[in-house]
Amino acid sequence: MAKILDVRGRKVWDSRGRATVEAEVVVGRGSTPLGTGRAIAPSGASTGSGEAKAIDARQAVQNINSRIRDGLRALSASDQAVVDARLIELDGTADKHRLGANALVAVSLACAHAEAAAAKMPLWKKLAGERRVALPVPQIQIFGGGAHAGRRVDIQDYMVICVGAGSFAESLEWTAQIYAAAGVRLAKRNALQGVADEGGYWPAFKSNEEGLAELVGAIADAGLEPGRDVAIALDIAATQMYRGGAYHLALENRALSSGQLHAVLMRWVERYPIVSIEDPFAEHDAEAMRAFTKEAGERIQVVGDDFFVTSAKRVKNANGACNTVLLKPNQVGTVTETLACWDAAKAAGFRAIVSARSGETEDVSIVHLAVGWGVPQLKVGSFARSERMAKWNEALRIEEGLGAKALPFPARKLFRQ
Ligand code: PGA
Ligand code: ZN
């Protein structure tokens, strides 16, 4: 049986120029190395309060190079579940703040890569085993706002889903056209302020709804039919605008009750080809989430990000709130707990989306998790900046490698029943 021979940590830098943690794990038999894996922890800006806690990157690296290395080298196995259980035990806190969720997630993912390398397989294949896989449907940001763009626009992500695309590659072809068309539209109107944290345009809109109208216009400008070819997904990231019991739309200089926000979102769902809304209400506003899911959940995905924080327990206790789970490994801290959340989502009859964070790197592990576990959707930000493109491009390579062995691309099945 393979075991862990070595664990190393180092400080590296992310897409916002902030320090983060890279881990390397070597597995082998006896003293012979069989495989090395490497992974980098991402970081969020609009984080949920229930997330596992990242700590100072330098301290997290020190923890990897001392307590985590000692604790894992004593293990007689390198299986993911055993390694992750040991990481959780070594940390010993509910929110992983002692060793740091950033230390844990980097080591956990690096271990997954090392196991795959020892088996001489890409990670997605090691995770899939004998199961056939499909490429996930991408949610791709065109405009960025909220905490990722100086709060110029309240809504955090205006995204597209190419619901009529026949392949992952075709989704990206269409998105490239939409992204370019959106840039031209904004530039013409003098509304282009730059690029937000995840690569979407940072727009100067007069209202949040204007973003929806502009997105529909960009899809049409790209020669595609809004709704039939390409639909809209939003991440309201509503926790960020919730203060004193109200939702503050700074751009429109007004505060809404849960009921008023519900009405605004329902009107948007009626007017625009929206198929998915993430965190429509704040993380603690479960009643509003339930009421919204009850009314809109038959038609659209109601996605819990801050609301579920990749916790299997929270998904099991959803009690009618949301119908789709966002899976972010660093929100919970280990690969095994992320998988448990996906299992809980399936058991609840929920959909799921594997997601990156707003602070990212060249690390492409999440693409392999999505493909290998059969999670049918993937969200990694926009169509610019290499920490985003690295992940889309990795998925393209996997799709090309699979060829006819891939299961049908699930976009039409998921969104055009
Ligand atoms: P975050 O944003 O990484 O800043 O939390 C991503 C999201 O809200 O989905
Ligand atoms: Zn979100």
Side-chain angles (χ1 to χ4, degrees), residues 20-21 40-42 51-56 60 63-64 68 87 91 93-109 329-334 337 357:
T20 188
V21 181
I40 308 177
E51 293 196 18
K53 298 283 175 288
I55 61 171
D56 171 69
N63 293 344
I64 293 175
I68 293 178
L87 287 170
D91 174 77
T93 65
D95 64 3
K96 290 156 177 121
H97 72 268
R98 185 172 301 149
L99 296 177
N102 40 352
L104 262 56
V105 79
V107 171
S108 181
L109 286 165
N330 83 321
Q331 271 183 334
V332 64
T334 63
E337 290 163 288
R357 301 309 304 250

PDB file of all heavy atoms in Angstrom, residues 20-21 40-42 51-56 60 63-64 68 87 91 93-109 329-334 337 357:
ATOM      1  N   THR A  20      -0.537  33.221  -0.776  1.00  0.00           N
ATOM      2  CA  THR A  20      -1.329  32.016  -0.524  1.00  0.00           C
ATOM      3  C   THR A  20      -0.398  30.823  -0.347  1.00  0.00           C
ATOM      4  O   THR A  20       0.822  30.981  -0.283  1.00  0.00           O
ATOM      5  CB  THR A  20      -2.407  31.806  -1.607  1.00  0.00           C
ATOM      6  OG1 THR A  20      -3.247  30.719  -1.191  1.00  0.00           O
ATOM      7  CG2 THR A  20      -1.835  31.521  -2.968  1.00  0.00           C
ATOM      8  N   VAL A  21      -0.987  29.631  -0.269  1.00  0.00           N
ATOM      9  CA  VAL A  21      -0.253  28.451   0.169  1.00  0.00           C
ATOM     10  C   VAL A  21      -0.217  27.400  -0.937  1.00  0.00           C
ATOM     11  O   VAL A  21      -1.263  27.048  -1.484  1.00  0.00           O
ATOM     12  CB  VAL A  21      -0.983  27.817   1.377  1.00  0.00           C
ATOM     13  CG1 VAL A  21      -0.243  26.597   1.880  1.00  0.00           C
ATOM     14  CG2 VAL A  21      -1.164  28.842   2.466  1.00  0.00           C
ATOM     15  N   ILE A  40      -2.587  24.527  -4.946  1.00  0.00           N
ATOM     16  CA  ILE A  40      -2.543  25.853  -4.316  1.00  0.00           C
ATOM     17  C   ILE A  40      -3.932  26.201  -3.780  1.00  0.00           C
ATOM     18  O   ILE A  40      -4.944  25.996  -4.473  1.00  0.00           O
ATOM     19  CB  ILE A  40      -2.117  26.938  -5.327  1.00  0.00           C
ATOM     20  CG1 ILE A  40      -0.823  26.541  -6.046  1.00  0.00           C
ATOM     21  CG2 ILE A  40      -1.932  28.288  -4.622  1.00  0.00           C
ATOM     22  CD1 ILE A  40      -0.377  27.544  -7.111  1.00  0.00           C
ATOM     23  N   ALA A  41      -3.979  26.753  -2.580  1.00  0.00           N
ATOM     24  CA  ALA A  41      -5.255  27.187  -1.989  1.00  0.00           C
ATOM     25  C   ALA A  41      -5.722  28.484  -2.650  1.00  0.00           C
ATOM     26  O   ALA A  41      -4.935  29.416  -2.788  1.00  0.00           O
ATOM     27  CB  ALA A  41      -5.078  27.418  -0.491  1.00  0.00           C
ATOM     28  N   PRO A  42      -7.017  28.559  -3.017  1.00  0.00           N
ATOM     29  CA  PRO A  42      -7.578  29.834  -3.499  1.00  0.00           C
ATOM     30  C   PRO A  42      -8.108  30.641  -2.310  1.00  0.00           C
ATOM     31  O   PRO A  42      -8.012  30.186  -1.157  1.00  0.00           O
ATOM     32  CB  PRO A  42      -8.726  29.366  -4.374  1.00  0.00           C
ATOM     33  CG  PRO A  42      -9.237  28.139  -3.687  1.00  0.00           C
ATOM     34  CD  PRO A  42      -8.032  27.494  -3.022  1.00  0.00           C
ATOM     35  N   GLU A  51     -17.762  29.498   6.574  1.00  0.00           N
ATOM     36  CA  GLU A  51     -16.638  28.862   5.868  1.00  0.00           C
ATOM     37  C   GLU A  51     -15.533  28.437   6.832  1.00  0.00           C
ATOM     38  O   GLU A  51     -15.313  29.084   7.865  1.00  0.00           O
ATOM     39  CB  GLU A  51     -16.021  29.851   4.862  1.00  0.00           C
ATOM     40  CG  GLU A  51     -16.932  30.190   3.722  1.00  0.00           C
ATOM     41  CD  GLU A  51     -16.209  30.845   2.544  1.00  0.00           C
ATOM     42  OE1 GLU A  51     -14.970  30.743   2.454  1.00  0.00           O
ATOM     43  OE2 GLU A  51     -16.898  31.448   1.722  1.00  0.00           O
ATOM     44  N   ALA A  52     -14.788  27.401   6.456  1.00  0.00           N
ATOM     45  CA  ALA A  52     -13.564  27.054   7.167  1.00  0.00           C
ATOM     46  C   ALA A  52     -12.617  28.256   7.048  1.00  0.00           C
ATOM     47  O   ALA A  52     -12.615  28.950   6.027  1.00  0.00           O
ATOM     48  CB  ALA A  52     -12.945  25.809   6.546  1.00  0.00           C
ATOM     49  N   LYS A  53     -11.838  28.511   8.083  1.00  0.00           N
ATOM     50  CA  LYS A  53     -11.059  29.754   8.135  1.00  0.00           C
ATOM     51  C   LYS A  53      -9.627  29.593   7.627  1.00  0.00           C
ATOM     52  O   LYS A  53      -8.870  28.767   8.138  1.00  0.00           O
ATOM     53  CB  LYS A  53     -10.982  30.270   9.578  1.00  0.00           C
ATOM     54  CG  LYS A  53     -12.335  30.619  10.176  1.00  0.00           C
ATOM     55  CD  LYS A  53     -12.858  31.957   9.651  1.00  0.00           C
ATOM     56  CE  LYS A  53     -14.260  32.278  10.148  1.00  0.00           C
ATOM     57  NZ  LYS A  53     -15.365  31.471   9.574  1.00  0.00           N
ATOM     58  N   ALA A  54      -9.306  30.417   6.641  1.00  0.00           N
ATOM     59  CA  ALA A  54      -7.911  30.497   6.201  1.00  0.00           C
ATOM     60  C   ALA A  54      -7.137  31.333   7.229  1.00  0.00           C
ATOM     61  O   ALA A  54      -7.715  32.218   7.869  1.00  0.00           O
ATOM     62  CB  ALA A  54      -7.845  31.164   4.837  1.00  0.00           C
ATOM     63  N   ILE A  55      -5.855  31.059   7.380  1.00  0.00           N
ATOM     64  CA  ILE A  55      -5.014  31.861   8.284  1.00  0.00           C
ATOM     65  C   ILE A  55      -3.896  32.496   7.466  1.00  0.00           C
ATOM     66  O   ILE A  55      -3.761  32.218   6.264  1.00  0.00           O
ATOM     67  CB  ILE A  55      -4.434  31.008   9.428  1.00  0.00           C
ATOM     68  CG1 ILE A  55      -3.539  29.876   8.880  1.00  0.00           C
ATOM     69  CG2 ILE A  55      -5.553  30.417  10.293  1.00  0.00           C
ATOM     70  CD1 ILE A  55      -2.761  29.134   9.945  1.00  0.00           C
ATOM     71  N   ASP A  56      -3.108  33.332   8.089  1.00  0.00           N
ATOM     72  CA  ASP A  56      -1.972  33.980   7.440  1.00  0.00           C
ATOM     73  C   ASP A  56      -1.155  32.938   6.655  1.00  0.00           C
ATOM     74  O   ASP A  56      -0.824  31.867   7.195  1.00  0.00           O
ATOM     75  CB  ASP A  56      -1.117  34.629   8.538  1.00  0.00           C
ATOM     76  CG  ASP A  56       0.186  35.146   7.993  1.00  0.00           C
ATOM     77  OD1 ASP A  56       0.151  36.115   7.228  1.00  0.00           O
ATOM     78  OD2 ASP A  56       1.242  34.544   8.318  1.00  0.00           O
ATOM     79  N   ALA A  60       0.439  29.302   7.751  1.00  0.00           N
ATOM     80  CA  ALA A  60      -0.111  28.062   7.184  1.00  0.00           C
ATOM     81  C   ALA A  60       1.015  27.214   6.579  1.00  0.00           C
ATOM     82  O   ALA A  60       1.034  25.987   6.736  1.00  0.00           O
ATOM     83  CB  ALA A  60      -1.161  28.397   6.124  1.00  0.00           C
ATOM     84  N   ASN A  63       2.869  25.551   9.286  1.00  0.00           N
ATOM     85  CA  ASN A  63       2.113  24.404   9.812  1.00  0.00           C
ATOM     86  C   ASN A  63       2.276  23.177   8.910  1.00  0.00           C
ATOM     87  O   ASN A  63       2.383  22.057   9.389  1.00  0.00           O
ATOM     88  CB  ASN A  63       0.628  24.762   9.948  1.00  0.00           C
ATOM     89  CG  ASN A  63       0.392  25.808  11.012  1.00  0.00           C
ATOM     90  OD1 ASN A  63       1.267  26.056  11.848  1.00  0.00           O
ATOM     91  ND2 ASN A  63      -0.770  26.440  10.989  1.00  0.00           N
ATOM     92  N   ILE A  64       2.272  23.422   7.592  1.00  0.00           N
ATOM     93  CA  ILE A  64       2.461  22.288   6.667  1.00  0.00           C
ATOM     94  C   ILE A  64       3.842  21.677   6.885  1.00  0.00           C
ATOM     95  O   ILE A  64       3.995  20.450   6.948  1.00  0.00           O
ATOM     96  CB  ILE A  64       2.313  22.748   5.193  1.00  0.00           C
ATOM     97  CG1 ILE A  64       0.870  23.164   4.908  1.00  0.00           C
ATOM     98  CG2 ILE A  64       2.738  21.630   4.235  1.00  0.00           C
ATOM     99  CD1 ILE A  64       0.644  23.738   3.519  1.00  0.00           C
ATOM    100  N   ILE A  68       1.752  19.220  10.088  1.00  0.00           N
ATOM    101  CA  ILE A  68       1.056  18.425   9.055  1.00  0.00           C
ATOM    102  C   ILE A  68       2.019  17.395   8.465  1.00  0.00           C
ATOM    103  O   ILE A  68       1.685  16.216   8.315  1.00  0.00           O
ATOM    104  CB  ILE A  68       0.447  19.349   7.974  1.00  0.00           C
ATOM    105  CG1 ILE A  68      -0.684  20.177   8.603  1.00  0.00           C
ATOM    106  CG2 ILE A  68      -0.027  18.555   6.780  1.00  0.00           C
ATOM    107  CD1 ILE A  68      -1.355  21.170   7.674  1.00  0.00           C
ATOM    108  N   LEU A  87      -5.955  14.987   8.680  1.00  0.00           N
ATOM    109  CA  LEU A  87      -5.823  16.459   8.644  1.00  0.00           C
ATOM    110  C   LEU A  87      -6.841  17.108   9.597  1.00  0.00           C
ATOM    111  O   LEU A  87      -6.509  18.026  10.349  1.00  0.00           O
ATOM    112  CB  LEU A  87      -6.045  16.990   7.222  1.00  0.00           C
ATOM    113  CG  LEU A  87      -4.913  16.740   6.217  1.00  0.00           C
ATOM    114  CD1 LEU A  87      -5.363  17.106   4.799  1.00  0.00           C
ATOM    115  CD2 LEU A  87      -3.664  17.536   6.592  1.00  0.00           C
ATOM    116  N   ASP A  91      -5.904  19.233  13.016  1.00  0.00           N
ATOM    117  CA  ASP A  91      -6.357  20.610  13.248  1.00  0.00           C
ATOM    118  C   ASP A  91      -7.198  20.698  14.525  1.00  0.00           C
ATOM    119  O   ASP A  91      -6.957  21.556  15.374  1.00  0.00           O
ATOM    120  CB  ASP A  91      -7.176  21.112  12.049  1.00  0.00           C
ATOM    121  CG  ASP A  91      -7.761  22.469  12.335  1.00  0.00           C
ATOM    122  OD1 ASP A  91      -7.002  23.448  12.266  1.00  0.00           O
ATOM    123  OD2 ASP A  91      -8.955  22.553  12.688  1.00  0.00           O
ATOM    124  N   THR A  93     -10.190  21.711  15.216  1.00  0.00           N
ATOM    125  CA  THR A  93     -11.193  22.762  15.452  1.00  0.00           C
ATOM    126  C   THR A  93     -12.323  22.617  14.435  1.00  0.00           C
ATOM    127  O   THR A  93     -12.102  22.074  13.348  1.00  0.00           O
ATOM    128  CB  THR A  93     -10.603  24.180  15.293  1.00  0.00           C
ATOM    129  OG1 THR A  93     -10.199  24.366  13.927  1.00  0.00           O
ATOM    130  CG2 THR A  93      -9.388  24.394  16.197  1.00  0.00           C
ATOM    131  N   ALA A  94     -13.501  23.141  14.777  1.00  0.00           N
ATOM    132  CA  ALA A  94     -14.646  22.994  13.875  1.00  0.00           C
ATOM    133  C   ALA A  94     -14.439  23.783  12.590  1.00  0.00           C
ATOM    134  O   ALA A  94     -14.855  23.362  11.512  1.00  0.00           O
ATOM    135  CB  ALA A  94     -15.914  23.461  14.581  1.00  0.00           C
ATOM    136  N   ASP A  95     -13.767  24.935  12.678  1.00  0.00           N
ATOM    137  CA  ASP A  95     -13.617  25.760  11.465  1.00  0.00           C
ATOM    138  C   ASP A  95     -12.171  25.748  10.917  1.00  0.00           C
ATOM    139  O   ASP A  95     -11.832  26.563  10.056  1.00  0.00           O
ATOM    140  CB  ASP A  95     -14.082  27.202  11.725  1.00  0.00           C
ATOM    141  CG  ASP A  95     -13.222  27.895  12.767  1.00  0.00           C
ATOM    142  OD1 ASP A  95     -12.245  27.283  13.249  1.00  0.00           O
ATOM    143  OD2 ASP A  95     -13.521  29.049  13.106  1.00  0.00           O
ATOM    144  N   LYS A  96     -11.384  24.841  11.406  1.00  0.00           N
ATOM    145  CA  LYS A  96     -10.025  24.608  10.861  1.00  0.00           C
ATOM    146  C   LYS A  96      -9.088  25.806  10.995  1.00  0.00           C
ATOM    147  O   LYS A  96      -8.159  25.968  10.187  1.00  0.00           O
ATOM    148  CB  LYS A  96     -10.115  24.154   9.400  1.00  0.00           C
ATOM    149  CG  LYS A  96     -10.708  22.747   9.356  1.00  0.00           C
ATOM    150  CD  LYS A  96     -11.362  22.370   8.109  1.00  0.00           C
ATOM    151  CE  LYS A  96     -11.850  20.936   8.161  1.00  0.00           C
ATOM    152  NZ  LYS A  96     -13.286  20.783   7.974  1.00  0.00           N
ATOM    153  N   HIS A  97      -9.322  26.608  12.003  1.00  0.00           N
ATOM    154  CA  HIS A  97      -8.494  27.821  12.124  1.00  0.00           C
ATOM    155  C   HIS A  97      -7.141  27.543  12.770  1.00  0.00           C
ATOM    156  O   HIS A  97      -6.256  28.372  12.703  1.00  0.00           O
ATOM    157  CB  HIS A  97      -9.233  28.912  12.901  1.00  0.00           C
ATOM    158  CG  HIS A  97      -9.349  28.635  14.362  1.00  0.00           C
ATOM    159  ND1 HIS A  97     -10.426  27.981  14.904  1.00  0.00           N
ATOM    160  CD2 HIS A  97      -8.507  28.902  15.392  1.00  0.00           C
ATOM    161  CE1 HIS A  97     -10.248  27.871  16.213  1.00  0.00           C
ATOM    162  NE2 HIS A  97      -9.091  28.408  16.533  1.00  0.00           N
ATOM    163  N   ARG A  98      -6.973  26.367  13.395  1.00  0.00           N
ATOM    164  CA  ARG A  98      -5.693  26.151  14.079  1.00  0.00           C
ATOM    165  C   ARG A  98      -4.565  25.945  13.047  1.00  0.00           C
ATOM    166  O   ARG A  98      -3.583  26.676  13.050  1.00  0.00           O
ATOM    167  CB  ARG A  98      -5.767  24.968  15.019  1.00  0.00           C
ATOM    168  CG  ARG A  98      -4.465  24.833  15.826  1.00  0.00           C
ATOM    169  CD  ARG A  98      -4.549  23.786  16.903  1.00  0.00           C
ATOM    170  NE  ARG A  98      -5.618  24.073  17.842  1.00  0.00           N
ATOM    171  CZ  ARG A  98      -6.323  23.134  18.492  1.00  0.00           C
ATOM    172  NH1 ARG A  98      -6.056  21.859  18.287  1.00  0.00           N
ATOM    173  NH2 ARG A  98      -7.278  23.470  19.326  1.00  0.00           N
ATOM    174  N   LEU A  99      -4.742  24.987  12.156  1.00  0.00           N
ATOM    175  CA  LEU A  99      -3.705  24.782  11.121  1.00  0.00           C
ATOM    176  C   LEU A  99      -3.997  25.620   9.878  1.00  0.00           C
ATOM    177  O   LEU A  99      -3.103  25.866   9.076  1.00  0.00           O
ATOM    178  CB  LEU A  99      -3.618  23.303  10.764  1.00  0.00           C
ATOM    179  CG  LEU A  99      -3.164  22.394  11.912  1.00  0.00           C
ATOM    180  CD1 LEU A  99      -3.186  20.928  11.491  1.00  0.00           C
ATOM    181  CD2 LEU A  99      -1.771  22.774  12.408  1.00  0.00           C
ATOM    182  N   GLY A 100      -5.264  26.029   9.721  1.00  0.00           N
ATOM    183  CA  GLY A 100      -5.645  26.879   8.594  1.00  0.00           C
ATOM    184  C   GLY A 100      -6.300  26.077   7.481  1.00  0.00           C
ATOM    185  O   GLY A 100      -5.730  25.091   6.995  1.00  0.00           O
ATOM    186  N   ALA A 101      -7.503  26.516   7.083  1.00  0.00           N
ATOM    187  CA  ALA A 101      -8.193  25.835   5.983  1.00  0.00           C
ATOM    188  C   ALA A 101      -7.376  25.929   4.699  1.00  0.00           C
ATOM    189  O   ALA A 101      -7.429  25.040   3.849  1.00  0.00           O
ATOM    190  CB  ALA A 101      -9.565  26.459   5.772  1.00  0.00           C
ATOM    191  N   ASN A 102      -6.598  27.015   4.562  1.00  0.00           N
ATOM    192  CA  ASN A 102      -5.752  27.138   3.359  1.00  0.00           C
ATOM    193  C   ASN A 102      -4.646  26.077   3.359  1.00  0.00           C
ATOM    194  O   ASN A 102      -4.356  25.478   2.318  1.00  0.00           O
ATOM    195  CB  ASN A 102      -5.181  28.557   3.209  1.00  0.00           C
ATOM    196  CG  ASN A 102      -4.727  29.196   4.497  1.00  0.00           C
ATOM    197  OD1 ASN A 102      -4.939  28.670   5.591  1.00  0.00           O
ATOM    198  ND2 ASN A 102      -4.084  30.350   4.380  1.00  0.00           N
ATOM    199  N   ALA A 103      -4.069  25.793   4.539  1.00  0.00           N
ATOM    200  CA  ALA A 103      -3.059  24.727   4.619  1.00  0.00           C
ATOM    201  C   ALA A 103      -3.714  23.385   4.298  1.00  0.00           C
ATOM    202  O   ALA A 103      -3.205  22.590   3.496  1.00  0.00           O
ATOM    203  CB  ALA A 103      -2.443  24.693   6.014  1.00  0.00           C
ATOM    204  N   LEU A 104      -4.877  23.154   4.908  1.00  0.00           N
ATOM    205  CA  LEU A 104      -5.525  21.846   4.755  1.00  0.00           C
ATOM    206  C   LEU A 104      -5.952  21.585   3.305  1.00  0.00           C
ATOM    207  O   LEU A 104      -5.731  20.506   2.771  1.00  0.00           O
ATOM    208  CB  LEU A 104      -6.743  21.764   5.683  1.00  0.00           C
ATOM    209  CG  LEU A 104      -6.505  21.037   7.013  1.00  0.00           C
ATOM    210  CD1 LEU A 104      -5.363  21.646   7.807  1.00  0.00           C
ATOM    211  CD2 LEU A 104      -7.763  20.994   7.855  1.00  0.00           C
ATOM    212  N   VAL A 105      -6.577  22.571   2.676  1.00  0.00           N
ATOM    213  CA  VAL A 105      -7.102  22.310   1.324  1.00  0.00           C
ATOM    214  C   VAL A 105      -5.960  22.100   0.332  1.00  0.00           C
ATOM    215  O   VAL A 105      -6.047  21.254  -0.568  1.00  0.00           O
ATOM    216  CB  VAL A 105      -8.078  23.414   0.863  1.00  0.00           C
ATOM    217  CG1 VAL A 105      -7.380  24.672   0.374  1.00  0.00           C
ATOM    218  CG2 VAL A 105      -9.019  22.879  -0.205  1.00  0.00           C
ATOM    219  N   ALA A 106      -4.863  22.837   0.510  1.00  0.00           N
ATOM    220  CA  ALA A 106      -3.721  22.658  -0.399  1.00  0.00           C
ATOM    221  C   ALA A 106      -3.127  21.256  -0.240  1.00  0.00           C
ATOM    222  O   ALA A 106      -2.850  20.566  -1.236  1.00  0.00           O
ATOM    223  CB  ALA A 106      -2.658  23.726  -0.136  1.00  0.00           C
ATOM    224  N   VAL A 107      -2.984  20.808   0.995  1.00  0.00           N
ATOM    225  CA  VAL A 107      -2.408  19.468   1.227  1.00  0.00           C
ATOM    226  C   VAL A 107      -3.369  18.377   0.748  1.00  0.00           C
ATOM    227  O   VAL A 107      -2.960  17.410   0.105  1.00  0.00           O
ATOM    228  CB  VAL A 107      -2.077  19.281   2.732  1.00  0.00           C
ATOM    229  CG1 VAL A 107      -1.685  17.837   3.022  1.00  0.00           C
ATOM    230  CG2 VAL A 107      -0.965  20.240   3.153  1.00  0.00           C
ATOM    231  N   SER A 108      -4.659  18.558   1.043  1.00  0.00           N
ATOM    232  CA  SER A 108      -5.650  17.557   0.652  1.00  0.00           C
ATOM    233  C   SER A 108      -5.682  17.385  -0.871  1.00  0.00           C
ATOM    234  O   SER A 108      -5.643  16.265  -1.396  1.00  0.00           O
ATOM    235  CB  SER A 108      -7.016  17.999   1.182  1.00  0.00           C
ATOM    236  OG  SER A 108      -8.009  17.067   0.851  1.00  0.00           O
ATOM    237  N   LEU A 109      -5.712  18.498  -1.590  1.00  0.00           N
ATOM    238  CA  LEU A 109      -5.714  18.430  -3.062  1.00  0.00           C
ATOM    239  C   LEU A 109      -4.391  17.902  -3.595  1.00  0.00           C
ATOM    240  O   LEU A 109      -4.359  17.124  -4.557  1.00  0.00           O
ATOM    241  CB  LEU A 109      -5.989  19.821  -3.653  1.00  0.00           C
ATOM    242  CG  LEU A 109      -7.437  20.325  -3.552  1.00  0.00           C
ATOM    243  CD1 LEU A 109      -7.496  21.827  -3.838  1.00  0.00           C
ATOM    244  CD2 LEU A 109      -8.346  19.569  -4.527  1.00  0.00           C
ATOM    245  N   PRO A 329     -14.004  23.595  -2.559  1.00  0.00           N
ATOM    246  CA  PRO A 329     -13.251  22.793  -1.578  1.00  0.00           C
ATOM    247  C   PRO A 329     -12.693  23.622  -0.417  1.00  0.00           C
ATOM    248  O   PRO A 329     -12.685  23.163   0.717  1.00  0.00           O
ATOM    249  CB  PRO A 329     -12.121  22.182  -2.418  1.00  0.00           C
ATOM    250  CG  PRO A 329     -12.664  22.158  -3.810  1.00  0.00           C
ATOM    251  CD  PRO A 329     -13.563  23.348  -3.935  1.00  0.00           C
ATOM    252  N   ASN A 330     -12.282  24.860  -0.671  1.00  0.00           N
ATOM    253  CA  ASN A 330     -11.664  25.610   0.430  1.00  0.00           C
ATOM    254  C   ASN A 330     -12.690  26.171   1.411  1.00  0.00           C
ATOM    255  O   ASN A 330     -12.332  26.640   2.478  1.00  0.00           O
ATOM    256  CB  ASN A 330     -10.736  26.722  -0.092  1.00  0.00           C
ATOM    257  CG  ASN A 330     -11.492  27.979  -0.451  1.00  0.00           C
ATOM    258  OD1 ASN A 330     -12.591  27.900  -0.997  1.00  0.00           O
ATOM    259  ND2 ASN A 330     -10.911  29.133  -0.155  1.00  0.00           N
ATOM    260  N   GLN A 331     -13.977  26.099   1.051  1.00  0.00           N
ATOM    261  CA  GLN A 331     -14.995  26.529   2.022  1.00  0.00           C
ATOM    262  C   GLN A 331     -15.122  25.537   3.161  1.00  0.00           C
ATOM    263  O   GLN A 331     -15.550  25.883   4.251  1.00  0.00           O
ATOM    264  CB  GLN A 331     -16.374  26.613   1.342  1.00  0.00           C
ATOM    265  CG  GLN A 331     -16.678  27.946   0.733  1.00  0.00           C
ATOM    266  CD  GLN A 331     -18.070  28.003   0.132  1.00  0.00           C
ATOM    267  OE1 GLN A 331     -18.648  26.999  -0.267  1.00  0.00           O
ATOM    268  NE2 GLN A 331     -18.607  29.197   0.040  1.00  0.00           N
ATOM    269  N   VAL A 332     -14.769  24.276   2.878  1.00  0.00           N
ATOM    270  CA  VAL A 332     -14.951  23.246   3.904  1.00  0.00           C
ATOM    271  C   VAL A 332     -13.594  22.690   4.355  1.00  0.00           C
ATOM    272  O   VAL A 332     -13.442  22.288   5.501  1.00  0.00           O
ATOM    273  CB  VAL A 332     -15.931  22.157   3.399  1.00  0.00           C
ATOM    274  CG1 VAL A 332     -15.380  21.430   2.207  1.00  0.00           C
ATOM    275  CG2 VAL A 332     -16.316  21.195   4.490  1.00  0.00           C
ATOM    276  N   GLY A 333     -12.596  22.682   3.467  1.00  0.00           N
ATOM    277  CA  GLY A 333     -11.221  22.395   3.894  1.00  0.00           C
ATOM    278  C   GLY A 333     -10.569  21.147   3.341  1.00  0.00           C
ATOM    279  O   GLY A 333      -9.344  21.101   3.256  1.00  0.00           O
ATOM    280  N   THR A 334     -11.368  20.127   2.968  1.00  0.00           N
ATOM    281  CA  THR A 334     -10.722  18.929   2.412  1.00  0.00           C
ATOM    282  C   THR A 334     -11.521  18.385   1.221  1.00  0.00           C
ATOM    283  O   THR A 334     -12.715  18.681   1.063  1.00  0.00           O
ATOM    284  CB  THR A 334     -10.624  17.783   3.459  1.00  0.00           C
ATOM    285  OG1 THR A 334     -11.953  17.402   3.823  1.00  0.00           O
ATOM    286  CG2 THR A 334      -9.816  18.178   4.681  1.00  0.00           C
ATOM    287  N   GLU A 337     -14.501  16.071   2.427  1.00  0.00           N
ATOM    288  CA  GLU A 337     -15.701  16.791   2.872  1.00  0.00           C
ATOM    289  C   GLU A 337     -16.438  17.436   1.692  1.00  0.00           C
ATOM    290  O   GLU A 337     -17.666  17.562   1.712  1.00  0.00           O
ATOM    291  CB  GLU A 337     -15.322  17.857   3.898  1.00  0.00           C
ATOM    292  CG  GLU A 337     -14.871  17.266   5.233  1.00  0.00           C
ATOM    293  CD  GLU A 337     -14.114  18.283   6.060  1.00  0.00           C
ATOM    294  OE1 GLU A 337     -12.956  18.609   5.695  1.00  0.00           O
ATOM    295  OE2 GLU A 337     -14.668  18.771   7.045  1.00  0.00           O
ATOM    296  N   ARG A 357     -12.778  30.396  -6.637  1.00  0.00           N
ATOM    297  CA  ARG A 357     -12.932  31.566  -5.776  1.00  0.00           C
ATOM    298  C   ARG A 357     -12.532  32.811  -6.566  1.00  0.00           C
ATOM    299  O   ARG A 357     -11.958  32.720  -7.648  1.00  0.00           O
ATOM    300  CB  ARG A 357     -12.043  31.457  -4.527  1.00  0.00           C
ATOM    301  CG  ARG A 357     -12.294  30.244  -3.655  1.00  0.00           C
ATOM    302  CD  ARG A 357     -13.731  30.033  -3.282  1.00  0.00           C
ATOM    303  NE  ARG A 357     -14.383  31.144  -2.624  1.00  0.00           N
ATOM    304  CZ  ARG A 357     -14.762  31.172  -1.349  1.00  0.00           C
ATOM    305  NH1 ARG A 357     -14.527  30.135  -0.582  1.00  0.00           N
ATOM    306  NH2 ARG A 357     -15.400  32.215  -0.838  1.00  0.00           N
TER     307      ARG A 357
END
